[in-house]
Amino acid sequence: MRVSVSWLREYVDLPADLPTGDLEQALVDLGIEVESVVDLRETVTGQLVVGEVREIEELTGFKKPIRFCRVDVGDANGTGEPQEIVCGARNFAPGDRVVVILPGGVLPGGFAIGARKTYGHNSAGMICSAKELGLGDDHSGIIVLPPDVAAKPGDDARPVVGLDDVVLELEITPDRGYALSLRGLARELSHAFDVPLRDPALVPAPGGTPEPAYPVEVRDTIGCDRFAARLVRGVDPTAPTPSWMQQRLVTAGIRSISLPVDITNYVMLELGQPMHAFDADRIVGALVVRRAEPGEKLTTLDGVLRVLASDDMVICDAGLPNPGAGEGAGIPISLAAVMGGETSEVIAGTTDVLFEAAHWDPAMVGRTARRHKLFSEAAKRWERGVDPALPLVALERAVRLLTEHGGGTPGAEILDIDHVRPRTPISLPADLPTRRIGVEYPPARVVALLERVGCTVAQGADRLAEDPGSVGMASGAGVALSVTPPSWRPDLTDPADLVEEVVRLDGYDRVPSVLPTAPPGRGLTPGQHRRRAIARSLAERGYVEVLAHPFVSSELADLLGLPADDPRRQAVRLANPLSEEEPLLRTTLLGPLLGILKRNLGRGLRDLALSEIGAVFHPRVDAGSPPAMGVDRRPTDAEFAAADAVVPAQPVHVAVVLTGDLDPAGWWGPGRPAGWADAIEAARDVLDAAGVPAERVEVRAAEYAPWHPGRCAEVRVDGTVVGHAGELHPVVVAALELPRRTCAMELDLDALPSAPVTPAPAVSGFPPALIDVALVVDDSVPAEQVRRALEAGAGELLEDVRLFDVYASEQLGAGRRSLAYKLTFRAPDRTLTVEEAVAARDAAVAVAAERVGAILRGA
């Protein structure tokens, strides 16, 4: 929203010397986001003057119409001679006064103006449009000054077009619809600077009369709970919009159209009440306000033919028969609260104007605007909430402006169909702001701030006024205030909303920033350590970790070939899914993970190894519905338990998928395609990273969908099946359009035994003793068994053992080889002697000789 400070000053007494920085900070403190504060006097430099067009010569022979103009700019150019300017606009004629920037001036955006020869003529300066001056988005023509502007050629044009003002560009949050008006912003600034407010809505406005201004029937009082109208006859159709009104509309980014339409836009900006002006002579019968029939059509003011839905509200002309909508329903002539229709718009010859001001359901307007992609200024205000008490005030304001500047006679009849429900009082404990925010807000202060917002505070407030110093009264404990929000604040519905208003008006800067004390702990939990170790292990082996959406389609179980009795077919269905195509929560990681694999294959990748760690969801059979829990108190343990019993089980799984070459091909040789053994090896790697000893892991052949029955293995830990790995079934691969021999693995991490707690290693500051040993063993003895035998015999002094050489020769004998290990010994509390290190080495060699028949080479 764009608004000028000079307009705001009509309703609130801002300090005369208020710096723009202080004004911006005040709005920010009130919770209103400021996009920019622009001092228009600084946006255009150089000579910007009023000019009068003397002559226009039409230039031909060019791709677009070009005009060579001679413009009187008085003595501003130093010669007094007419200024020669080439211009492409067509909306002005000789005798019109325009805005001219002379050579040497600079327009917004750093656009410098000079003198040059163009289209065969000299052009010195520019005749400006509103967009070129930064006053709006209208670039359809240049600015033509109205006849009532008292300015002669050569005068400074800045005051004339509003470039002597400060413009605020604000971003209004959805819950603060009242701030989309001068009235709402002025009220906020009156709070910020503690100055009086002149509410433009607090003016006498006649009420509805028994005889309506125009026959109207409202058939849906939910979508439209108030409808007011008044007729003005005999308006001068040639009356122009006054220059001051045009200027304010242009500053706000609204194009001037005609006097009646401009007045509705002006009142909308001033009061926040969107209105509509009908040409009464183009309406045949009574007006009917109703829901649209599906398929009805309406051409809106933007020239677009729109097909209406049953949720749209329309204003219809009952004099036009519409058999498809029932008797008396009429033909739609306006898309209510969003945009009017072409058949009843105010046109050049309109003399009888019917003003309409209503109150519409915000939810209905929001849905209609999104359905038709028609986010008009009126719709923006309606979906945020408009004051239902404004229609008659807005009508009175619009009628007075029209009769003052366009003549005409206002009708004495005023229509007011009012079904607005009164606001429900909110019970607010007087000490709730203090308890919630942690800042002391005396109850009297709470009452005063809420009343400044416009609330009516009763009951407990009377007790506080009678005896503010009594026990309990000073803190507000035990005192409940009955607060009725004002009609212009539909966002105030709960005690928390009122607390927020108290904090906002008292000042967010008074709320201290206090960091909570971190609870004592030992860092990551064992489960978090395990999860990170698994993710790191897979990443080190070339798997790319992805994060898939947990939503799947109803057809996934069939695509994976799951048997009819497979428990993975029993999935949790979301009540409000993001997509109707994927309404279920996954029971296996493979579905979404294979979807990501397919997406990457479609983008040209061929060698892929993906992994994911995440939860799957298993519904609880016969769980029923969770208990209803309010927000007025903490749920009991029994309520928590009942609610938790309905929540699906969510075990954490890990899965990998592979396709293409695991080892790439190149000049070094052919690549190696990924196979079922790699998926099984990934399972072993996961279990190793999870701290499960290898001797507790068992891999067996199995048949389990969606794996190939001859290339599937089940992974057991302590005899319990924790997952499966192998090559996917060819039928599944074909159904999912994946490459042949795609492999996968999935394990249930929650089924694994708890990881042993490994204490942090002690770091010794004493020097190590390094001893190399070479052991001769049979070729059939794995090097890992030799290493384990050395570890078992060396004792606690051994810090590390590492294989660094493998040697075979005829001297060692057939079927024999030498394994050389580097042994590192270190004591935590002393420097080892040579004797201690040698004794530990001999003990290690002795155990290796006993277990694997190792012989110390050279002994």
Side-chain angles (χ1 to χ4, degrees):
M1 178 181 179
R2 287 168 53 96
V3 61
S4 64
V5 174
S6 63
W7 194 0
L8 275 172
R9 289 183 182 274
E10 292 188 4
Y11 312 117
V12 61
D13 295 326
L14 298 177
D17 55 349
L18 178 63
T20 56
D22 292 353
L23 177 60
E24 178 180 3
Q25 188 60 48
L27 290 168
V28 171
D29 291 343
L30 289 166
I32 297 176
E33 183 177 347
V34 180
E35 293 286 337
S36 64
V37 179
V38 181
D39 190 341
L40 297 180
R41 291 166 294 192
E42 301 173 357
T43 59
V44 179
T45 61
Q47 289 184 292
L48 187 72
V49 299
V50 175
E52 183 174 331
V53 181
R54 295 298 189 188
E55 301 176 19
I56 298 178
E57 178 184 347
E58 302 288 346
L59 304 182
T60 59
F62 300 101
K63 294 182 179 179
K64 60 180 180 178
I66 299 296
R67 313 173 94 184
F68 178 62
C69 310
R70 292 179 174 86
V71 184
D72 181 7
V73 294
D75 296 330
N77 58 5
T79 64
E81 297 295 323
Q83 196 80 1
E84 296 181 342
I85 302 176
V86 174
C87 181
R90 312 288 299 174
N91 66 320
F92 63 99
D96 285 343
R97 285 176 298 167
V98 294
V99 179
V100 178
I101 185 168
L102 299 179
V106 180
L107 291 173
F111 186 64
I113 304 299
R116 61 192 180 97
K117 188 170 184 178
T118 181
Y119 296 102
H121 291 74
N122 292 324
S123 181
M126 176 187 286
I127 305 175
C128 302
S129 69
K131 186 174 183 179
E132 290 162 344
L133 294 177
L135 295 174
D137 296 328
D138 187 9
H139 196 51
S140 59
I142 54 93
I143 296 175
V144 178
L145 300 180
D148 61 339
V149 174
K152 63 182 186 299
D155 287 351
D156 186 4
R158 288 175 177 82
V160 177
V161 295
L163 283 176
D164 60 342
D165 206 345
V166 175
V167 174
L168 305 172
E169 186 165 358
L170 310 175
E171 183 67 32
I172 306 301
T173 54
D175 62 328
R176 307 284 288 280
Y178 67 93
L180 283 171
S181 67
L182 274 294
R183 179 198 184 201
L185 289 174
R187 179 180 290 106
E188 293 292 288
L189 290 173
S190 72
H191 301 330
F193 294 100
D194 198 19
V195 292
L197 168 69
R198 291 180 292 277
D199 189 347
L202 296 180
V203 295
T209 58
E211 293 295 327
Y214 203 89
V216 175
E217 179 188 359
V218 178
R219 295 186 176 181
D220 188 336
T221 58
I222 301 298
C224 176
D225 56 9
R226 191 168 190 182
F227 194 97
R230 193 173 183 184
L231 183 63
V232 180
R233 297 180 176 86
V235 177
D236 181 3
T238 64
T241 301
S243 58
W244 57 267
M245 186 181 294
Q246 287 191 41
Q247 179 179 314
R248 288 177 172 177
L249 292 175
V250 169
T251 300
I254 297 178
R255 180 169 56 93
S256 177
I257 299 175
S258 64
L259 179 59
V261 176
D262 290 350
I263 286 174
T264 61
N265 288 328
Y266 183 83
V267 173
M268 176 183 68
L269 294 174
E270 182 182 55
L271 298 177
Q273 170 69 53
M275 300 181 63
H276 188 66
F278 294 95
D279 184 339
D281 293 334
R282 302 178 69 188
I283 303 175
V284 179
L287 296 180
V288 176
V289 182
R290 60 174 174 85
R291 300 277 178 174
E293 293 293 331
E296 279 190 298
K297 297 181 180 180
L298 168 67
T299 301
T300 47
L301 290 175
D302 56 359
V304 177
L305 179 63
R306 303 185 184 276
V307 179
L308 306 179
S310 59
D311 196 36
D312 297 330
M313 290 286 292
V314 288
I315 301 176
C316 304
D317 186 347
L320 302 174
N322 185 358
E327 185 174 350
I331 298 293
I333 60 174
S334 176
L335 187 57
V338 179
M339 185 173 284
E342 281 187 341
T343 59
S344 61
E345 68 174 317
V346 172
I347 57 179
T350 297
T351 58
D352 294 345
V353 177
L354 178 66
F355 282 122
E356 166 260 308
H359 186 260
W360 307 94
D361 176 34
M364 177 275 296
V365 178
R367 289 191 293 267
T368 296
R370 283 161 179 77
R371 182 181 303 110
H372 297 285
K373 296 181 175 60
L374 196 55
F375 300 99
S376 63
E377 290 296 324
K380 291 178 184 177
R381 286 161 173 80
W382 281 121
E383 68 174 348
R384 286 167 169 81
V386 174
D387 185 356
L390 282 177
L392 293 181
V393 176
L395 282 179
E396 178 67 14
R397 178 68 166 146
V399 167
R400 287 182 178 273
L401 287 171
L402 183 59
T403 55
E404 180 181 351
H405 299 285
T409 303
E413 303 85 1
I414 300 173
L415 172 72
D416 184 20
I417 302 174
D418 188 356
H419 295 277
V420 177
R421 297 179 180 180
R423 296 297 300 268
T424 302
I426 303 170
S427 179
L428 174 71
D431 62 340
L432 185 61
T434 298
R435 290 190 283 114
R436 287 287 181 267
I437 309 302
V439 176
E440 184 65 32
Y441 296 106
R445 175 69 170 162
V446 172
V447 172
L449 291 175
L450 292 177
E451 289 178 341
R452 287 182 65 181
V453 174
C455 297
T456 302
V457 186
Q459 293 182 10
D462 301 333
R463 293 175 56 197
L464 291 171
E466 294 171 3
D467 189 6
S470 62
V471 177
M473 295 298 167
S475 64
V479 178
L481 306 175
S482 179
V483 182
T484 304
S487 58
W488 59 83
R489 292 299 301 272
D491 58 305
L492 302 181
T493 59
D494 297 290
D497 300 326
L498 301 178
V499 171
E500 183 180 356
E501 287 301 294
V502 170
V503 180
R504 186 175 69 89
L505 293 184
D506 192 68
Y508 290 121
D509 56 329
R510 287 198 58 220
V511 180
S513 297
V514 180
L515 291 176
T517 302
R522 297 183 179 180
L524 299 178
T525 65
Q528 291 170 328
H529 275 296
R530 168 178 278 183
R531 181 165 180 162
R532 292 191 181 190
I534 292 172
R536 183 168 54 249
S537 174
L538 290 173
E540 290 170 350
R541 286 159 177 77
Y543 290 90
V544 177
E545 186 173 9
V546 298
L547 182 64
H549 286 295
F551 314 117
V552 297
S553 66
S554 303
E555 296 80 20
L556 178 62
D558 295 330
L559 294 175
L560 293 179
L562 302 184
D565 58 348
D566 194 307
R568 288 173 293 173
R569 282 186 172 271
Q570 305 301 318
V572 177
R573 179 175 292 272
L574 296 170
N576 188 23
L578 293 179
S579 170
E580 291 298 336
E581 296 179 357
E582 296 180 330
L584 306 179
L585 288 174
R586 65 188 178 192
T587 57
T588 170
L589 296 184
L590 291 183
L593 193 56
L594 291 172
I596 294 177
L597 182 76
K598 180 180 177 181
R599 191 176 305 117
N600 281 273
L601 288 167
R603 293 176 179 175
L605 300 177
R606 288 296 175 263
D607 306 323
L608 293 167
L610 307 179
S611 70
E612 183 184 10
I613 303 175
V616 297
F617 305 85
H618 299 304
R620 300 185 189 273
V621 181
D622 301 327
S625 301
M629 293 185 286
V631 296
D632 57 331
R633 59 175 175 80
R634 177 183 174 84
T636 64
D637 293 342
E639 289 173 331
F640 264 126
D644 190 58
V646 181
V647 176
Q650 302 174 44
V652 176
H653 284 203
V654 58
V656 303
V657 292
L658 306 96
T659 189
D661 286 345
L662 195 64
D663 295 332
W667 57 265
W668 51 84
R672 184 178 71 83
W676 59 268
D678 296 301
I680 296 174
E681 188 61 26
R684 294 184 182 275
D685 292 337
V686 167
L687 295 176
D688 181 65
V692 179
E695 56 268 19
R696 299 172 64 180
V697 178
E698 183 182 5
V699 178
R700 292 183 179 181
E703 292 187 12
Y704 191 71
W707 282 274
H708 191 299
R711 299 188 179 99
C712 172
E714 64 181 19
V715 181
R716 294 170 173 257
V717 174
D718 295 337
T720 301
V721 177
V722 297
H724 294 80
E727 182 182 310
L728 294 179
H729 198 290
V731 175
V732 174
V733 169
L736 295 175
E737 300 178 354
L738 297 174
R740 294 175 62 244
R741 300 195 180 282
T742 297
C743 301
M745 176 276 293
E746 183 171 10
L747 298 181
D748 182 357
L749 295 182
D750 284 3
L752 301 182
S754 300
V757 178
T758 303
V763 179
S764 174
F766 293 91
L770 306 177
I771 300 179
D772 296 344
V773 295
L775 303 177
V776 179
V777 296
D778 291 338
D779 281 343
S780 60
V781 177
E784 178 65 15
Q785 288 188 16
V786 179
R787 185 187 68 81
R788 291 183 180 180
L790 291 173
E791 285 183 344
E796 296 180 353
L797 294 178
L798 182 67
E799 184 178 85
D800 186 42
V801 56
R802 185 171 302 174
L803 176 68
F804 69 89
D805 185 47
V806 179
Y807 172 71
S809 70
E810 294 180 358
Q811 297 176 349
L812 297 177
R816 305 278 285 175
R817 62 174 177 169
S818 172
L819 304 177
Y821 292 88
K822 185 181 295 294
L823 306 181
T824 303
F825 298 97
R826 195 193 312 253
D829 56 349
R830 67 191 186 280
T831 300
L832 291 177
T833 64
V834 175
E835 291 77 10
E836 288 176 310
V838 171
R841 180 207 62 182
D842 293 344
V845 173
V847 173
E850 178 184 347
R851 291 188 178 182
V852 297
I855 301 174
L856 185 63
R857 186 177 169 191

